[in-house]
Amino acid sequence: MSSSLAEHLRLVGRLTVPLYLPTFLLSLGQGILVPTLPLFAHSFGVSFTLVTLAIGIQGFGTLAASVPGGFLLARAGGRRVMIAGTAVVTASSLALPFSGLFPFVILYRLVGGLGVALWMVSRFAYIAEAVPLAQRGRAAALFGGTNRAGMFVGPVIGGVLAEQVGMEVALLSSAAAAGLALVLVMLPGDPEADFRPYVQRRSLMAGLLAAVRRKPWEITSASTAQFLIQCIRGGRTTLLPLYGSFVIGLDVDTVGVIVGVSSLIDMVFFLPAGLIMDRFGRKFASVPAFVMLSAGMLFVAFSYDAITLFLAATLMSVGNGFGSGSMMTLGADLSPPEARGEFMGFWRLVGDSGSTGGPLLVGGVADLWGLTTAAVAVAATGALAVLTLGLFVPETLRSQIGSPRGSSP
């Protein structure tokens, strides 16, 4: 066994309990809600608009808590924020099936979004703090792949449980998965998960602003790329099923197969993505990945049957898979050690804004000019992201702030 492979296996072993298993369980729990939450919300006799609100409100909670979560991370330390975020997700998931009134469904989903933000900020900061620069791409890519795996398996489990034993049991299984993740993150683990909080600094915002002032162009261009890339990712998940159903006229089962198989393809490429990022550079993996993602979105506009739509979805999935963990790695590389928590909270805010903006872009353009034009608009957004990333964002594997290649920040 080569020393590089042995080193990688040691890294995976060290991160399995504090990072990968809880990540899989939390994403599994969220995935269980994909087929069950819409039906549960609709059982209250509300309109489809309110049903979609119940689905999407968690994203607004995550968006709102990203920056405050980063500030909390700087004050309280990584481990406390990680446990708090997982506990909030568990509690909100457990309360969901006992919602007596529809407003409580909205409330619990919103609170769950706050917990997801705390969890994600603490995990991003953990990777930045505990993983050496030369291994960070693999660690982040495996994190992304683990999250994708949970979201792939979860809907299957949720659908089977809801059909066979009832909706309440399916919802409780989501809470059970989050609860098991909470048990794991409370176990004694890697001391670097609880990196030192920066309590000596009076102003948390001052640390973030100082970091931006040191590298204004790099952080501005990287943040722009982060926003645009998450925008096309969010637009992809929204537009693909809509285009298949309303433009091509495919039935729901066919669209489901296309989405499901493309998601499986997406998961295959996270390991080579990490290896490429750590060996050849972050941009060597991410720029071609997002070229493929953008090209696939453009091909959607020219799809006319199930086969052509599947080919476009496959190209997008290969690109998205090769981009697994790339933006997390970029944010971790750019984050300054003295303002780690605040920066990662800001980085999450930018990404969450793009993820929220992508579906809004699809909906707005589709209402005005149709879904075909919406696909072209999202593809153009991806092209702009590729240009920004390729031309203006530095290669952080070799030019990371103050750190030589292969060293910890």
Side-chain angles (χ1 to χ4, degrees):
M1 181 183 296
S2 68
S3 59
S4 177
L5 178 59
E7 185 179 348
H8 178 60
L9 292 177
R10 284 194 297 270
L11 173 69
V12 172
R14 180 165 67 89
L15 298 179
T16 294
V17 173
L19 181 65
Y20 297 131
L21 280 179
T23 297
F24 175 77
L25 289 167
L26 284 172
S27 62
L28 177 70
Q30 296 300 301
I32 288 172
L33 296 178
V34 170
T36 56
L37 180 62
L39 298 178
F40 178 69
H42 193 257
S43 69
F44 286 86
V46 299
S47 66
F48 285 112
T49 299
L50 290 178
V51 170
T52 58
L53 177 62
I55 296 170
I57 195 67
Q58 177 172 293
F60 287 97
T62 303
L63 186 67
S66 292
V67 170
F71 290 163
L72 181 62
L73 195 70
R75 289 295 192 193
R79 180 174 171 80
R80 291 177 181 176
V81 174
M82 171 184 59
I83 292 173
T86 313
V88 169
V89 173
T90 302
S92 62
S93 301
L94 184 60
L96 188 60
F98 302 104
S99 305
L101 298 171
F102 182 75
F104 287 109
V105 176
I106 299 296
L107 174 62
Y108 298 147
R109 291 285 293 166
L110 181 63
V111 171
L114 304 179
V116 169
L118 296 180
W119 161 262
M120 294 300 293
V121 167
S122 66
R123 295 301 80 200
F124 280 21
Y126 174 43
I127 289 175
E129 190 76 16
V131 180
L133 180 67
Q135 296 176 288
R136 196 175 287 156
R138 281 166 285 178
L142 185 53
F143 177 91
T146 303
N147 193 69
R148 286 170 168 82
M151 289 299 296
F152 178 75
V153 175
V156 177
I157 295 176
V160 170
L161 288 176
E163 181 68 25
Q164 299 297 324
V165 293
M167 182 67 67
E168 289 76 13
V169 174
L171 295 176
L172 287 173
S173 68
S174 174
L180 185 54
L182 177 61
V183 172
L184 291 176
V185 299
M186 293 181 69
L187 295 174
D190 192 338
E192 290 182 275
D194 194 25
F195 52 85
R196 185 181 70 256
Y198 308 110
V199 295
Q200 73 275 13
R201 195 168 57 237
R202 290 184 179 181
S203 172
L204 292 169
M205 184 62 74
L208 177 60
L209 294 176
V212 173
R213 281 195 295 267
R214 277 201 305 273
K215 298 284 184 177
W217 178 250
E218 292 182 5
I219 292 177
T220 299
S221 57
S223 299
T224 301
Q226 160 79 329
F227 175 84
L228 294 172
I229 286 166
Q230 301 308 332
C231 188
I232 187 176
R233 281 173 161 169
R236 164 191 175 229
T237 58
T238 302
L239 190 138
L240 193 62
L242 291 176
Y243 196 93
S245 297
F246 293 104
V247 177
I248 299 178
L250 303 177
D251 56 47
V252 176
D253 290 344
T254 302
V255 172
V257 169
I258 292 173
V259 172
V261 174
S262 62
S263 297
L264 182 61
I265 294 171
D266 196 323
M267 289 191 297
V268 172
F269 293 97
F270 70 85
L271 184 56
L275 292 172
I276 292 171
M277 278 192 285
D278 285 341
R279 183 170 179 81
F280 300 105
R282 316 312 194 200
K283 293 167 66 172
F284 197 91
S286 58
V287 170
F290 298 124
V291 167
M292 287 188 283
L293 183 59
S294 303
M297 179 58 69
L298 182 61
F299 290 162
V300 169
F302 297 95
S303 301
Y304 55 86
D305 60 9
I307 294 176
T308 52
L309 185 65
F310 174 71
L311 292 175
T314 298
L315 180 57
M316 286 192 288
S317 295
V318 173
N320 199 51
F322 269 115
S324 177
S326 59
M327 301 314 291
M328 181 194 302
T329 305
L330 178 61
D333 289 349
L334 292 173
S335 62
E338 73 277 6
R340 185 84 73 199
E342 304 96 299
F343 186 89
M344 297 312 290
F346 161 76
W347 192 251
R348 281 290 305 175
L349 174 65
V350 173
D352 290 340
S353 299
S355 298
T356 303
L360 295 178
L361 174 64
V362 169
V365 175
D367 283 339
L368 292 173
W369 298 293
L371 285 166
T372 300
T373 305
V376 175
V378 176
T381 301
L384 183 58
V386 169
L387 289 175
T388 304
L389 189 63
L391 297 178
F392 304 117
V393 178
E395 174 48 65
T396 56
L397 179 62
R398 298 177 183 88
S399 60
Q400 198 262 349
I401 301 173
S403 296
R405 180 178 175 176
S407 67
S408 296

